[in-house]
Amino acid sequence: MDADYLPFHPSPKVPEYTPPAGAVDAHCHVFGPADTFPYSAKRKYTPCDAPKEKLFALRDHLGFSRNVIVQASCHGTDNAALVDALETAGPLARGVAVVSPDVTDAELDAMDKAGVRAVRFNFVKRLVDDTPKEVFTGIAERISKLGWHIVVYFEAPDLEELTPFLTSLPGIIVVDHMGRPDVSKGVDHPDFDRFVDLMANNENIWVKVSCPERLTVAGPPYDDVVPFSRRLVDAFPDRVLWGTDWPHPNMKSHMPDDGQLVDVIPRIATTDEARRKLLIDNPMRLYWPEEKKS
């Protein structure tokens, strides 16, 4: 791994908050192991291995029932580690893939069978090379036929430029990590209002109220981020998701205790109903629709 890469917390605490039975960690990753699933030659960082066994042990330790595993940029468009984890977990995990424009229909069908339900478009320039919007549009049209949705990752300064593109995409769009607002500006700043307005004006846009550890200025227990997450949960209770972001790639300030992250949940979703929607109803509707229909 890179010399300045921070490994994930070796022994997170048991959370004080107990998630309800059936709760979903809707944003996490698997990395490697590199000797089995090599990292991309085009990667912008080299992480420590964070294999499926560690992820599933963490799931159980924190009191969750299921995972949504998101392909991270260090593996590029090779989704082998993701698919392997999904096949191991069976009905207890679903996936978000990253694909190239030349991906074949057979490859998409195989990923769908394994449990992939979305693709991720990454616009964070320090993590990926710039990709023409037309490439994403072509992929979006193809995956919509499978009933998949789109996950997007960007930072707040890029929202205004990206808005026309985001609102042109078909189907459900899920925004990672609240669009990475600058929390030092305050929850009522026009920049965050712009993101709230985007969601208010587009009922197909969902959001992950995740990653306080990436957004915080004050540090744990993330008091400066809680108002942002709570505002979104209160305003859009049926379109919010939550995830650990384990193993927290590219953290520079500190490595969070995942148990402490779980303890943030009741502070941002303040009623039993809100927590049930955040942790069970919403992710199940999006990633396990066949179970919601049964």
Side-chain angles (χ1 to χ4, degrees):
M1 65 182 178
D2 293 334
D4 62 346
Y5 188 90
L6 296 180
F8 53 86
H9 197 293
S11 55
K13 72 169 194 170
V14 175
E16 295 173 28
Y17 168 68
T18 301
V24 179
D25 175 354
H27 188 100
C28 51
H29 309 283
V30 289
F31 296 158
D35 57 357
T36 304
F37 303 108
Y39 300 116
S40 170
K42 297 180 180 180
R43 67 190 181 277
K44 303 290 186 181
Y45 66 93
T46 302
C48 67
D49 286 345
K52 60 187 178 183
E53 294 85 1
K54 293 284 188 181
L55 175 63
F56 300 150
L58 180 73
R59 174 198 67 200
D60 297 343
H61 175 77
L62 297 178
F64 284 80
S65 300
R66 306 186 189 218
N67 298 105
V68 178
I69 307 172
V70 179
Q71 175 81 346
S73 62
C74 60
H75 274 298
T77 58
D78 182 351
N79 295 275
L82 167 66
V83 168
D84 176 71
L86 295 177
E87 290 176 343
T88 298
L92 299 184
R94 293 289 183 260
V96 178
V98 175
V99 301
S100 62
D102 59 358
V103 64
T104 67
D105 289 341
E107 289 169 331
L108 291 174
D109 288 342
M111 285 188 279
D112 183 71
K113 184 178 180 181
V116 171
R117 295 293 178 266
V119 293
R120 192 188 202 199
F121 296 162
N122 192 334
F123 299 99
V124 180
K125 297 178 180 63
R126 59 189 163 77
L127 294 177
V128 293
D129 295 328
D130 192 36
T131 301
K133 301 291 194 303
E134 296 78 14
V135 170
F136 291 128
T137 301
I139 292 171
E141 291 173 353
R142 293 182 63 195
I143 62 97
S144 67
K145 298 173 185 177
L146 292 167
W148 294 6
H149 61 274
I150 297 165
V151 175
V152 293
Y153 188 26
F154 59 84
E155 297 180 310
D158 298 318
L159 174 58
E160 191 167 9
E161 183 269 328
L162 282 172
T163 294
F165 171 71
L166 296 177
T167 55
S168 75
L169 292 171
I172 291 175
I173 312 300
V174 179
V175 178
D176 280 342
H177 317 328
M178 299 188 288
R180 293 199 59 134
D182 181 348
V183 300
S184 69
K185 294 180 177 180
V187 71
D188 296 319
H189 190 275
D191 284 0
F192 195 57
D193 285 344
R194 183 180 295 114
F195 181 74
V196 174
D197 289 345
L198 175 72
M199 291 200 62
N201 294 328
N202 297 274
E203 293 186 354
N204 64 316
I205 296 182
W206 295 38
V207 64
K208 294 175 188 170
V209 288
S210 49
C211 283
E213 72 279 10
R214 293 193 184 279
L215 304 176
T216 187
V217 176
Y222 312 117
D223 294 343
D224 52 344
V225 186
V226 165
F228 291 80
S229 303
R230 186 185 297 152
R231 183 179 178 188
L232 293 171
V233 171
D234 288 347
F236 311 107
D238 298 311
R239 290 187 275 148
V240 288
L241 303 167
W242 183 92
T244 57
D245 194 37
W246 186 88
H248 314 286
N250 291 310
M251 283 295 297
K252 302 300 182 186
S253 61
H254 70 291
M255 181 49 59
D257 181 321
D258 295 278
Q260 190 173 32
L261 293 179
V262 173
D263 285 337
V264 175
I265 292 171
R267 300 171 61 202
I268 65 175
T270 56
T271 67
D272 286 342
E273 181 183 12
R275 291 189 284 271
R276 179 172 182 85
K277 288 184 175 183
L278 176 68
L279 299 175
I280 302 175
D281 294 348
N282 297 346
M284 289 299 292
R285 192 165 81 249
L286 196 57
Y287 290 97
W288 286 269
E290 68 281 359
E291 294 194 26
K292 295 301 287 184
K293 292 176 182 177
S294 61

